[in-house]
Amino acid sequence: MCLDGILTNQRKNGVKMSVREVKRKANQYMRVNIFPCRTAPGKRGARRELTSEVQAKLNERNAENTLSDLIHNNFTPNDYIFDLDYDNRYLPKTAEDAQRLAVNAMRTIKYAWVKSGRKAEGFKYVITTAVSSRGRIHHHCFITGGLPEALMRSKWKWGHAHTDPMEFDENGVRGKIHYILKDTATKRRWCASKNLRRCEPRTNDYKISAKTLRYINDHPEDTAFIERLYPGWSVAPDGVRSVAVSDKDGEIITPVIPFVEIFL
């Protein structure tokens, strides 16, 4: 069903609809979701259950977006990606055991950070724990820069450590995040220090009209049109996605999935 059909059906059921814009700004990057939403009581459609495949894709996309927002809001090119693996003799039995070792390493680095004269609250990290195609547990971490790279690597006693400065392109580090999350091995896709700044969503139900939403949904290639809606911002390459997920009957699940997602 097209977007026009969805809105028409909702109106026939006595449901008053508006178009909601939700912006999440993270330093030099911004993610915008635009979707139709219910603004007044009306006859609700039958609740549809998501298939396991659809739910998995939804969870994956949400995880990538949330982690991207966190990284973009807390780290800069002065910080590091810190990759850790294990020698055979130290290989943990479970991913959860490995994650505890990685957290302990972060605490050791934080101690060195404080000893260097910096404030503890300035040190931040995010840890993801993954399993390679060969079954090897390893970590990809985002970590505050400022200490010598050799000193940070020396705090990892269980195998090899590699540091790289964080590289941000027009998409920030979204490509890297997509790569590192595809093989995560723990129930929680990542763990992080408690001092990360979260992206506070800003909601507006009056800025975007249904006509504008339809146009963006049908013409995602017209980035100039979108950039006029957000002066001072540029749409990232391939940064406009029309997000419509279907359930097992092929019907679009409108109350759950945003229709348009924009990365600037």
Side-chain angles (χ1 to χ4, degrees), residues 241-259:
R241 298 193 297 195
S242 181
V243 185
V245 179
S246 300
D247 68 3
K248 63 181 69 177
D249 298 319
E251 293 290 335
I252 293 175
I253 309 165
T254 57
V256 180
I257 308 299
F259 280 97

mmCIF file of all heavy atoms in Angstrom, residues 241-259:
data_model
loop_
_atom_site.group_PDB
_atom_site.id
_atom_site.type_symbol
_atom_site.label_atom_id
_atom_site.label_comp_id
_atom_site.label_asym_id
_atom_site.label_seq_id
_atom_site.Cartn_x
_atom_site.Cartn_y
_atom_site.Cartn_z
ATOM 1 N N ARG A 241 16.579 7.297 3.204
ATOM 2 C CA ARG A 241 16.055 5.940 3.103
ATOM 3 C C ARG A 241 14.549 5.962 3.319
ATOM 4 O O ARG A 241 14.069 6.553 4.289
ATOM 5 C CB ARG A 241 16.710 5.020 4.152
ATOM 6 C CG ARG A 241 18.204 4.892 3.973
ATOM 7 C CD ARG A 241 18.777 3.758 4.782
ATOM 8 N NE ARG A 241 18.603 3.935 6.216
ATOM 9 C CZ ARG A 241 19.272 3.235 7.122
ATOM 10 N NH1 ARG A 241 20.134 2.311 6.748
ATOM 11 N NH2 ARG A 241 19.064 3.444 8.406
ATOM 12 N N SER A 242 13.840 5.317 2.426
ATOM 13 C CA SER A 242 12.411 5.115 2.613
ATOM 14 C C SER A 242 12.247 3.783 3.312
ATOM 15 O O SER A 242 12.539 2.729 2.746
ATOM 16 C CB SER A 242 11.695 5.106 1.261
ATOM 17 O OG SER A 242 10.318 4.928 1.439
ATOM 18 N N VAL A 243 11.817 3.828 4.548
ATOM 19 C CA VAL A 243 11.805 2.635 5.395
ATOM 20 C C VAL A 243 10.385 2.113 5.483
ATOM 21 O O VAL A 243 9.550 2.674 6.178
ATOM 22 C CB VAL A 243 12.337 2.950 6.806
ATOM 23 C CG1 VAL A 243 12.430 1.676 7.635
ATOM 24 C CG2 VAL A 243 13.703 3.624 6.715
ATOM 25 N N ALA A 244 10.097 1.059 4.765
ATOM 26 C CA ALA A 244 8.774 0.441 4.813
ATOM 27 C C ALA A 244 8.959 -1.060 4.948
ATOM 28 O O ALA A 244 9.386 -1.726 4.021
ATOM 29 C CB ALA A 244 7.989 0.765 3.552
ATOM 30 N N VAL A 245 8.678 -1.597 6.108
ATOM 31 C CA VAL A 245 8.845 -3.020 6.380
ATOM 32 C C VAL A 245 7.492 -3.695 6.338
ATOM 33 O O VAL A 245 6.510 -3.175 6.865
ATOM 34 C CB VAL A 245 9.503 -3.233 7.758
ATOM 35 C CG1 VAL A 245 9.645 -4.720 8.057
ATOM 36 C CG2 VAL A 245 10.865 -2.556 7.789
ATOM 37 N N SER A 246 7.408 -4.857 5.701
ATOM 38 C CA SER A 246 6.146 -5.572 5.582
ATOM 39 C C SER A 246 6.075 -6.733 6.553
ATOM 40 O O SER A 246 7.095 -7.325 6.915
ATOM 41 C CB SER A 246 5.979 -6.102 4.152
ATOM 42 O OG SER A 246 5.974 -5.054 3.227
ATOM 43 N N ASP A 247 4.865 -7.061 6.963
ATOM 44 C CA ASP A 247 4.673 -8.231 7.808
ATOM 45 C C ASP A 247 4.468 -9.468 6.936
ATOM 46 O O ASP A 247 4.642 -9.431 5.719
ATOM 47 C CB ASP A 247 3.495 -8.014 8.763
ATOM 48 C CG ASP A 247 2.159 -7.949 8.037
ATOM 49 O OD1 ASP A 247 2.146 -8.122 6.801
ATOM 50 O OD2 ASP A 247 1.141 -7.715 8.702
ATOM 51 N N LYS A 248 4.096 -10.589 7.538
ATOM 52 C CA LYS A 248 4.003 -11.840 6.803
ATOM 53 C C LYS A 248 2.918 -11.820 5.734
ATOM 54 O O LYS A 248 2.955 -12.596 4.786
ATOM 55 C CB LYS A 248 3.746 -12.991 7.770
ATOM 56 C CG LYS A 248 2.430 -12.911 8.519
ATOM 57 C CD LYS A 248 2.260 -14.078 9.477
ATOM 58 C CE LYS A 248 3.237 -13.979 10.618
ATOM 59 N NZ LYS A 248 3.052 -15.063 11.615
ATOM 60 N N ASP A 249 1.951 -10.909 5.858
ATOM 61 C CA ASP A 249 0.885 -10.802 4.867
ATOM 62 C C ASP A 249 1.184 -9.761 3.803
ATOM 63 O O ASP A 249 0.355 -9.491 2.946
ATOM 64 C CB ASP A 249 -0.441 -10.452 5.558
ATOM 65 C CG ASP A 249 -0.870 -11.535 6.532
ATOM 66 O OD1 ASP A 249 -0.727 -12.717 6.185
ATOM 67 O OD2 ASP A 249 -1.331 -11.180 7.636
ATOM 68 N N GLY A 250 2.365 -9.146 3.890
ATOM 69 C CA GLY A 250 2.741 -8.148 2.900
ATOM 70 C C GLY A 250 2.196 -6.767 3.159
ATOM 71 O O GLY A 250 2.315 -5.884 2.319
ATOM 72 N N GLU A 251 1.550 -6.562 4.293
ATOM 73 C CA GLU A 251 1.001 -5.248 4.622
ATOM 74 C C GLU A 251 2.052 -4.411 5.336
ATOM 75 O O GLU A 251 2.766 -4.904 6.207
ATOM 76 C CB GLU A 251 -0.226 -5.394 5.532
ATOM 77 C CG GLU A 251 -1.418 -6.053 4.849
ATOM 78 C CD GLU A 251 -2.052 -5.153 3.801
ATOM 79 O OE1 GLU A 251 -1.900 -3.926 3.924
ATOM 80 O OE2 GLU A 251 -2.683 -5.679 2.877
ATOM 81 N N ILE A 252 2.146 -3.130 4.972
ATOM 82 C CA ILE A 252 3.095 -2.242 5.629
ATOM 83 C C ILE A 252 2.643 -1.980 7.060
ATOM 84 O O ILE A 252 1.480 -1.686 7.311
ATOM 85 C CB ILE A 252 3.228 -0.918 4.860
ATOM 86 C CG1 ILE A 252 3.893 -1.182 3.501
ATOM 87 C CG2 ILE A 252 4.031 0.102 5.640
ATOM 88 C CD1 ILE A 252 3.954 0.038 2.617
ATOM 89 N N ILE A 253 3.571 -2.088 7.996
ATOM 90 C CA ILE A 253 3.241 -1.905 9.412
ATOM 91 C C ILE A 253 3.458 -0.442 9.742
ATOM 92 O O ILE A 253 4.537 -0.024 10.138
ATOM 93 C CB ILE A 253 4.110 -2.818 10.284
ATOM 94 C CG1 ILE A 253 4.035 -4.249 9.763
ATOM 95 C CG2 ILE A 253 3.689 -2.764 11.743
ATOM 96 C CD1 ILE A 253 5.113 -5.140 10.302
ATOM 97 N N THR A 254 2.426 0.384 9.582
ATOM 98 C CA THR A 254 2.610 1.827 9.689
ATOM 99 C C THR A 254 2.821 2.345 11.101
ATOM 100 O O THR A 254 3.525 3.333 11.271
ATOM 101 C CB THR A 254 1.414 2.557 9.049
ATOM 102 O OG1 THR A 254 0.221 2.120 9.686
ATOM 103 C CG2 THR A 254 1.345 2.228 7.579
ATOM 104 N N PRO A 255 2.226 1.761 12.162
ATOM 105 C CA PRO A 255 2.411 2.365 13.466
ATOM 106 C C PRO A 255 3.811 2.162 14.031
ATOM 107 O O PRO A 255 4.167 2.780 15.011
ATOM 108 C CB PRO A 255 1.374 1.643 14.346
ATOM 109 C CG PRO A 255 0.442 0.987 13.411
ATOM 110 C CD PRO A 255 1.248 0.668 12.208
ATOM 111 N N VAL A 256 4.606 1.282 13.422
ATOM 112 C CA VAL A 256 5.885 0.921 14.021
ATOM 113 C C VAL A 256 7.067 1.513 13.270
ATOM 114 O O VAL A 256 8.021 1.996 13.860
ATOM 115 C CB VAL A 256 6.031 -0.620 14.073
ATOM 116 C CG1 VAL A 256 7.361 -1.010 14.693
ATOM 117 C CG2 VAL A 256 4.875 -1.238 14.843
ATOM 118 N N ILE A 257 7.016 1.497 11.949
ATOM 119 C CA ILE A 257 8.191 1.814 11.155
ATOM 120 C C ILE A 257 8.122 3.230 10.595
ATOM 121 O O ILE A 257 7.139 3.591 9.943
ATOM 122 C CB ILE A 257 8.323 0.823 9.980
ATOM 123 C CG1 ILE A 257 8.261 -0.615 10.478
ATOM 124 C CG2 ILE A 257 9.606 1.068 9.215
ATOM 125 C CD1 ILE A 257 9.355 -0.977 11.431
ATOM 126 N N PRO A 258 9.140 4.066 10.817
ATOM 127 C CA PRO A 258 9.162 5.384 10.171
ATOM 128 C C PRO A 258 9.290 5.231 8.661
ATOM 129 O O PRO A 258 9.928 4.314 8.180
ATOM 130 C CB PRO A 258 10.398 6.054 10.774
ATOM 131 C CG PRO A 258 11.199 4.980 11.371
ATOM 132 C CD PRO A 258 10.297 3.835 11.692
ATOM 133 N N PHE A 259 8.652 6.142 7.919
ATOM 134 C CA PHE A 259 8.677 6.021 6.468
ATOM 135 C C PHE A 259 9.961 6.547 5.868
ATOM 136 O O PHE A 259 10.452 6.022 4.885
ATOM 137 C CB PHE A 259 7.475 6.752 5.870
ATOM 138 C CG PHE A 259 6.213 5.969 5.937
ATOM 139 C CD1 PHE A 259 5.316 6.180 6.968
ATOM 140 C CD2 PHE A 259 5.937 5.014 5.003
ATOM 141 C CE1 PHE A 259 4.159 5.454 7.049
ATOM 142 C CE2 PHE A 259 4.776 4.278 5.069
ATOM 143 C CZ PHE A 259 3.892 4.489 6.104
#
